[in-house]
Amino acid sequence: MSNRKSKNNNLIHAECLLQVQRTLRERFCHQSPHGNLFGIQVQYKHLIELLKRTAIYGESNSVLIIGPRGSGKTLLINHALKELMEIEVSENVLQVHLNGLLQINDKIALKEITRQLNLENVVGDKVFGSFAENLSFLLDALRKVPIVEDLISFDYGNCFNFLWTFGDRISSCPVIFVLDEFDLFVHHKNQTLLYNLFDISQSAQTPVAVIGLTCRLDILELLEKRVKSRFSHRQIHLMNSFGFPQYIKIFKEQLSLPAEFPDKLFAEKWNENVQRLSEDRSVQEVLQKQFNVSKNLRSLHMLLMLALHRITASHPFMTSADLMEANQLCSMDSKANIVHGLSVLEICLIIAMKHLNDIYEEEPFNFQMVYNEFQKFVQRKAHSVYNFEKPVVMKAFEHLQQLELIKPMERTSVNSQREYQLMKLLLDNTQIMNALQKYPNCPTDVRQWATSSLSWL
Amino acid sequence: MPPLEHVVLCREAQVSTLQSLFGERHHFSFPSIFIYGHTASGKTYVTQTLLKTLELPHVFVNCVECVTLRLLLEQILNKLSYLNASEGCSTEIICETFNDFVRLFKQITTVESLKTQTVYIVLDKAEYLRDMEANLLPGFLRLQELTDRNVTVIFLSEIIWEKFRPNTGCFEPFVLYFPDYSIGNLQKILSHDHPPEYSADFYAAYINILLGVFYTVCRDLKELRHLAALNFPKYCEPVVKGEAGERDTRKLWRNIEPHLKKAMQTVYLREISSSQWEKLQKEDTDPGQLKGLSAYTHVELPYYSKFILIAAYLASYNPARTDKRFFLKHHGKIKKTNFLKKHEKTSNHLLGPKSFPLDRLLAILYSIVDSRVAPTANIFSQITSLVTLQLLSLVGHDDQLDGPKYKCTVSLDFIRAIARTVNFDIIKYLYDFL
């Protein structure tokens, strides 16, 4: 009887866990627009006001959203656009999403705008003289979309007044341009796209809102003078300005299951576990370490993903050990890992390079010098086991170059011999000594050589 | 299909990590995963085997093949459309920019079979992506966000992630490390492909000897497997001939050890090809005089050319102020202090050859050759042929007004061998060996 019950429990658990994985993965990996906004309420209000003014009153606006990577810029704009679209009046608002990574020059950008506004048929095979011509043609084409209901509701007396005060609102749709990776658009030739977009936002043709998202704080210095003067200099900064106590709260919220979770009992137990974790001392230490390195939510998500994949049917609730192991995985030194897998000969070469750096104070060396130093070690009677031929040592040296642990000072020219090319070592002394400690089966004489290059110590 | 543990050895932890990362088919996974580790540590093999065994829709591209952007993008799109090619052969897709790629990708993945599952794009040798267009790497890292589809991009590379990161930052991938194999693991994997005619213990003993010779130099699994396969016939020779039994380890060791040492100097360095090595083994000759690629006896130069080369070497490696001492019959008193002071680091043999003008070369040539040498076209054409053979190299531009400058690019061992053939003691004339 109890067997069946526990089997049932396991089944239920497995299904629940699948559901948990699904929800949490969606939250961590997929950046869904349903996430909560932490600490950026003010910026959100500012942005949504701006967008409403464009959509409802036909005002043209431009704004730059600036913030480091992972601070929530895309989240902010997606939230704002979602709320905007739910307002009734915004039925005819058009959105154009451009990305600096995809549209690498203005021609492609223009084609993309045409495609997103569904005006490919209208443009057809027309050839335009300039970018500005093309863009104004597109925006003119949008005017031909009449808004019939509005015309009917006015009587003729008020009609003229209305048209005078609101200009072209009746005959054209507001367009919202969202430019992701805005700093890449700045590198296009003459900044044509930006110039034209900002120009349109200043003149009263069509109501447009130009919203740029970028991670560079010095973006205004990159704009040309004529582009900068047409920009409204409105900036929204997202600076991850929360403190550690709020960080813990964010951790709790990110890990908790939402109220809509089907199995209420399991969700309650899970959320209680999360509450316990957030008060646990070792978990707080882990979070403090993570917070000190990087505040943004993306690294927190990575940590939680790493801890999440330990959840199985036999281990249904997360423990502090999971989080500590995840933190260790996150903060591994990758160069040390690579050094761990080198052969003994390659380690000897690295030690020879370390001694050269110590003696000659980081001046660049070449293979011949390293080989010379290595020979001094091999010449001692006990170490004749390392007496390899020069070409074999050269092959090991080239392997180190392939792994990018050493780097040539300048590009290889065909005429120079490889043995005499000057190189630099990209590991520093503490890294080498730490890696040697962890090196498996390190021969003692090599280890002693590493600590001192003198033969009688 | 045999279970995963038998196909993929010594990688249980990584397989389980990857499996839990992939999750269920319709779950979202991390937008990008970066796997790094030494060469031949199983990254490609494990990823491919896992994706094939779990039958997840995936596309595998090796970035070494893709010298241009178009090759890479078209390969991915064509392989992807091949995945759901239930409607027969589809036409080749043309894609020139990353923008088109994203658009076409969205089109292709709206097919029923690919819409609900996670599609995996595996980019092997991802370090070559850094040298392609600047928007490619950040674009692939964010592909899930840009296309708004359930796709994960997996990067496999030997180089660590810190060297990939672009200047203004990017979407950080999930970094996974594939540790190198320990010596026990290497033994296990190498003993796994023993030929069926011999027992596993016999082969394991052979692998032990092989690792004893090569492990300090090389830990690359591919190289070790190649060497094991090449040298095994030689190892079995005494057993085949009947001179020793399978358990006479000492005799077998004595037979194979010099052979393996020779292999390190030749086949390991690719001085001779593997087929040449196998032929040598069959002929059973003494592997004493192996003519590798860099053997000295390859180049048989005429008499004066040898002297020109020796003169060039002396000009490259001796500082110009010491010429008087070496090459004049009656040099005056030379102050010892300035002359003999030299640091070890500035030894010319460590720094490399220096360039010298043609006149200096001729001057040294006249002094070291016994008979009278006239500066005929013969001599000059020999200098040019030495440049073509890359024993000398021309420094600077071809049409310099003040005469050409050369540099000698041969090694000390080579020049000593040449000097020996003309009975010239070059060490006496080298400044570094005073």
Side-chain angles (χ1 to χ4, degrees):
Chain A
M1 181 63 179
S2 59
N3 240 355
R4 209 191 321 155
K5 212 173 180 187
S6 64
K7 234 193 274 187
N8 267 345
N9 264 347
N10 270 346
L11 268 175
I12 298 174
H13 262 188
E15 255 198 56
C16 272
L17 285 175
L18 272 183
Q19 195 60 20
V20 170
Q21 288 263 0
R22 191 204 182 118
T23 325
L24 289 180
R25 267 166 188 268
E26 179 125 4
R27 196 183 283 167
F28 298 155
C29 302
H30 186 53
Q31 278 110 36
S32 50
H34 312 290
N36 277 333
L37 298 167
F38 305 104
I40 45 179
Q41 308 293 353
V42 175
Q43 289 98 331
Y44 181 70
K45 254 203 264 286
H46 188 174
L47 186 63
I48 192 81
E49 276 307 310
L50 211 86
L51 290 176
K52 278 192 189 151
R53 290 212 298 269
T54 305
I56 306 176
Y57 306 120
E59 209 180 271
S60 284
N61 282 314
S62 54
V63 64
L64 274 181
I65 304 180
I66 305 176
R69 299 261 174 206
S71 51
K73 307 181 285 292
T74 319
L75 181 71
L76 185 74
I77 187 70
N78 284 342
H79 245 270
L81 286 174
K82 197 163 75 106
E83 194 182 312
L84 187 72
M85 287 306 158
E86 284 164 6
I87 305 177
E88 256 182 48
V89 205
S90 328
E91 287 163 352
N92 56 340
V93 170
L94 295 167
Q95 292 179 31
V96 174
H97 290 264
L98 298 177
N99 193 314
L101 288 175
L102 297 178
Q103 283 89 40
I104 48 180
N105 66 38
D106 291 330
K107 216 166 55 155
I108 302 179
L110 203 51
K111 263 199 252 169
E112 187 65 28
I113 295 176
T114 320
R115 205 179 294 132
Q116 288 194 20
L117 292 174
N118 292 324
L119 289 176
E120 276 152 320
N121 297 331
V122 179
V123 170
D125 282 330
K126 285 202 180 54
V127 174
F128 296 98
S130 73
F131 189 98
E133 252 184 63
N134 199 341
L135 194 56
S136 57
F137 177 82
L138 288 177
L139 293 174
D140 277 340
L142 292 178
R143 277 170 206 254
K144 310 247 176 65
V145 184
I147 306 171
V148 179
E149 308 89 61
D150 286 318
L151 285 172
I152 290 177
S153 65
F154 291 120
D155 66 321
Y156 279 83
N158 279 328
C159 202
F160 188 77
N161 267 339
F162 189 81
L163 278 173
W164 182 255
T165 36
F166 286 104
D168 287 313
R169 190 221 155 215
I170 281 193
S171 58
S172 61
C173 315
V175 186
I176 300 184
F177 286 92
V178 179
L179 277 75
D180 219 338
E181 311 278 345
F182 188 79
D183 44 296
L184 293 177
F185 284 108
V186 161
H187 296 300
H188 292 181
K189 183 160 179 261
N190 289 341
Q191 298 183 0
T192 335
L193 175 71
L194 297 181
Y195 175 74
N196 283 300
L197 282 178
F198 286 144
D199 199 31
I200 291 175
S201 76
Q202 296 285 43
S203 58
Q205 298 173 35
T206 329
V208 293
V210 182
I211 304 171
L213 285 76
T214 176
C215 65
R216 291 188 66 158
L217 290 176
D218 60 346
I219 184 72
L220 284 183
E221 267 125 57
L222 297 173
L223 292 175
E224 267 182 30
K225 207 170 79 154
R226 55 183 187 148
V227 180
K228 209 194 308 197
S229 62
R230 284 168 174 77
F231 173 52
S232 69
H233 282 79
R234 205 180 273 120
Q235 295 169 50
I236 298 179
H237 288 276
L238 298 173
M239 288 298 178
N240 279 339
S241 51
F242 41 79
F244 187 60
Q246 209 180 1
Y247 191 69
I248 302 189
K249 238 192 278 177
I250 295 175
F251 160 76
K252 221 178 6 174
E253 270 192 64
Q254 290 286 303
L255 206 50
S256 306
L257 292 173
E260 307 88 46
F261 196 72
D263 187 348
K264 302 270 187 254
L265 201 58
F266 188 77
E268 240 185 78
K269 271 196 271 185
W270 177 272
N271 290 344
E272 267 173 30
N273 186 40
V274 171
Q275 174 72 27
R276 242 179 299 133
L277 277 179
S278 67
E279 289 159 1
D280 185 75
R281 167 75 21 122
S282 45
V283 172
Q284 285 193 353
E285 262 179 43
V286 164
L287 288 177
Q288 180 76 48
K289 264 192 241 165
Q290 189 74 22
F291 183 73
N292 288 342
V293 170
S294 116
K295 265 181 170 184
N296 66 33
L297 290 187
R298 269 197 208 143
S299 41
L300 180 65
H301 285 171
M302 184 114 46
L303 181 75
L304 294 177
M305 257 304 275
L306 267 169
L308 185 69
H309 84 249
R310 280 171 212 293
I311 304 283
T312 56
S314 52
H315 180 82
F317 294 106
M318 206 180 281
T319 59
S320 56
D322 290 336
L323 283 165
M324 288 203 286
E325 243 192 270
N327 188 36
Q328 234 184 2
L329 276 178
C330 268
S331 47
M332 271 194 311
D333 180 7
S334 37
K335 266 201 190 147
N337 286 338
I338 293 288
V339 174
H340 186 270
L342 293 176
S343 66
V344 178
L345 179 59
E346 287 154 2
I347 292 273
C348 289
L349 287 180
I350 290 188
I351 297 175
M353 289 185 240
K354 167 177 174 285
H355 289 313
L356 280 177
N357 275 341
D358 287 336
I359 300 173
Y360 297 113
E361 282 159 24
E362 312 271 331
E363 267 189 47
F365 50 80
N366 59 31
F367 169 70
Q368 198 61 37
M369 295 186 210
V370 177
Y371 184 66
N372 209 30
E373 190 74 27
F374 178 56
Q375 286 296 97
K376 282 197 230 160
F377 170 66
V378 165
Q379 242 70 346
R380 303 179 208 173
K381 262 176 271 179
H383 303 150
S384 54
V385 69
Y386 299 110
N387 197 1
F388 297 110
E389 304 269 309
K390 195 164 172 190
V392 177
V393 183
M394 184 71 189
K395 186 164 173 166
F397 191 78
E398 282 174 355
H399 185 223
L400 288 177
Q401 191 178 350
Q402 193 191 346
L403 288 173
E404 297 195 5
L405 288 173
I406 55 182
K407 192 173 80 146
M409 297 291 291
E410 49 199 30
R411 309 229 75 193
T412 358
S413 57
V414 185
N415 280 334
S416 63
Q417 291 162 283
R418 279 176 312 174
E419 291 109 17
Y420 294 109
Q421 203 183 18
L422 289 176
M423 305 263 190
K424 202 160 76 133
L425 180 64
L426 297 177
L427 293 168
D428 68 36
N429 284 357
T430 29
Q431 267 181 317
I432 299 176
M433 295 318 283
N434 283 343
L436 270 179
Q437 298 291 349
K438 296 200 205 103
Y439 190 73
N441 304 329
C442 184
T444 19
D445 37 13
V446 171
R447 212 188 287 247
Q448 276 174 343
W449 181 39
T451 46
S452 125
S453 62
L454 301 167
S455 60
W456 55 79
L457 280 176
Chain B
M1 182 116 200
L4 212 53
E5 302 85 54
H6 293 253
V7 180
V8 178
L9 299 166
C10 308
R11 282 273 173 246
E12 292 86 21
Q14 282 73 37
V15 168
S16 69
T17 313
L18 274 177
Q19 261 181 313
S20 53
L21 266 182
F22 292 161
E24 295 293 312
R25 274 171 193 278
H26 51 274
H27 281 172
F28 274 98
S29 181
F30 234 77
S32 45
I33 302 175
F34 184 82
I35 302 179
Y36 73 100
H38 276 275
T39 172
S41 55
K43 308 178 291 291
T44 318
Y45 181 60
V46 168
T47 320
Q48 260 187 327
T49 318
L50 194 61
L51 287 171
K52 276 202 202 118
T53 323
L54 298 175
E55 285 179 19
L56 298 168
H58 69 279
V59 167
F60 190 88
V61 176
N62 195 324
C63 297
V64 175
E65 303 171 344
C66 307
V67 280
T68 61
L69 178 65
R70 218 177 124 166
L71 282 172
L72 174 66
L73 300 178
E74 286 183 2
Q75 248 196 47
I76 298 179
L77 289 172
N78 284 325
K79 286 191 183 169
L80 206 57
S81 64
Y82 187 71
L83 272 183
N84 51 329
S86 48
E87 315 92 44
C89 229
S90 44
T91 50
E92 295 281 319
I93 303 177
I94 298 184
C95 168
E96 298 202 10
T97 60
F98 197 63
N99 195 27
D100 291 337
F101 173 73
V102 166
R103 194 173 39 96
L104 292 166
F105 187 86
K106 274 159 79 160
Q107 272 177 10
I108 294 180
T109 46
T110 44
V111 177
E112 266 319 303
S113 56
L114 295 178
K115 197 150 63 158
T116 47
Q117 305 182 56
T118 320
V119 178
Y120 294 92
I121 300 182
V122 185
L123 297 172
D124 202 359
K125 293 260 190 302
E127 55 262 23
Y128 289 93
L129 282 178
R130 300 178 293 175
D131 304 324
M132 296 171 79
E133 274 82 347
N135 66 332
L136 201 59
L137 183 63
F140 271 120
L141 287 167
R142 290 183 171 263
L143 199 63
Q144 194 182 80
E145 186 187 316
L146 291 173
T147 55
D148 201 19
R149 298 273 185 272
N150 193 353
V151 60
T152 297
V153 183
I154 304 179
F155 299 88
L156 304 174
S157 174
E158 219 184 1
I159 314 283
I160 56 179
W161 168 247
E162 280 78 14
K163 294 193 192 273
F164 277 76
R165 201 180 275 139
N167 277 339
T168 49
C170 60
F171 186 91
E172 296 281 324
F174 183 94
V175 176
L176 183 62
Y177 171 56
F178 262 51
D180 46 288
Y181 293 116
S182 67
I183 189 164
N185 285 342
L186 274 179
Q187 271 169 341
K188 190 164 161 207
I189 298 175
L190 286 170
S191 324
H192 197 249
D193 43 24
H194 68 91
E197 304 92 56
Y198 297 94
S199 69
D201 293 331
F202 181 64
Y203 198 74
Y206 165 61
I207 292 294
N208 260 332
I209 298 176
L210 183 81
L211 283 178
V213 175
F214 281 99
Y215 189 64
T216 41
V217 172
C218 161
R219 288 199 182 172
D220 186 347
L221 181 62
K222 280 188 226 152
E223 293 247 24
L224 291 172
R225 277 181 92 179
H226 182 64
L227 287 165
L230 271 186
N231 292 304
F232 191 57
K234 183 80 183 168
Y235 185 73
C236 302
E237 229 180 51
V239 177
V240 164
K241 283 204 203 140
E243 291 166 356
E246 282 201 2
R247 296 190 179 279
D248 283 340
T249 36
R250 205 176 151 68
K251 224 178 187 170
L252 291 167
W253 181 79
R254 250 198 308 202
N255 175 42
I256 193 71
E257 208 224 358
H259 199 77
L260 286 178
K261 285 238 156 66
K262 199 73 196 173
M264 195 190 297
Q265 292 163 8
T266 50
V267 179
Y268 175 64
L269 299 172
R270 304 292 188 275
E271 290 275 318
I272 68 173
S273 69
S274 320
S275 51
Q276 269 177 300
W277 182 253
E278 284 176 343
K279 228 188 302 169
L280 239 103
Q281 287 186 343
K282 285 210 188 76
E283 283 168 15
D284 203 20
T285 46
D286 177 27
Q289 278 307 320
L290 269 179
K291 287 202 183 160
L293 283 173
S294 29
Y296 318 131
T297 48
H298 258 205
V299 184
E300 199 42 68
L301 293 169
Y303 184 72
Y304 279 143
S305 285
K306 289 188 193 166
F307 275 106
I308 292 176
L309 196 58
I310 292 173
Y313 191 84
L314 291 171
S316 277
Y317 285 96
N318 283 345
R321 58 192 163 91
T322 59
D323 280 351
K324 212 162 136 190
R325 182 199 184 280
F326 286 118
F327 302 116
L328 273 189
K329 289 222 163 47
H330 305 287
H331 55 267
K333 265 199 304 203
I334 294 177
K335 283 215 175 93
K336 278 214 165 167
T337 44
N338 265 351
F339 185 74
L340 290 179
K341 192 162 59 164
K342 52 182 164 118
H343 303 287
E344 187 212 326
K345 190 197 173 195
T346 54
S347 152
N348 283 324
H349 278 86
L350 287 184
L351 291 176
K354 304 237 169 30
S355 63
F356 52 85
L358 180 61
D359 300 334
R360 188 169 165 221
L361 171 66
L362 290 175
I364 296 179
L365 179 66
Y366 298 153
S367 85
I368 60 177
V369 171
D370 293 336
S371 54
R372 283 180 60 100
V373 182
T376 56
N378 215 344
I379 299 287
F380 291 125
S381 68
Q382 286 188 18
I383 296 179
T384 324
S385 358
L386 284 178
V387 173
T388 322
L389 283 173
Q390 294 197 340
L391 298 171
L392 294 183
S393 72
L394 193 64
V395 175
H397 224 42
D398 222 356
D399 46 348
Q400 249 180 349
L401 285 180
D402 19 311
K405 283 202 165 146
Y406 297 97
K407 213 193 307 199
C408 182
T409 56
V410 298
S411 65
L412 182 62
D413 298 326
F414 190 95
I415 204 72
R416 281 172 85 170
I418 295 225
R420 216 173 295 136
T421 63
V422 288
N423 281 330
F424 184 78
D425 183 9
I426 192 166
I427 299 294
K428 221 171 31 166
Y429 287 85
L430 280 172
Y431 177 59
D432 288 328
F433 293 100
L434 261 186

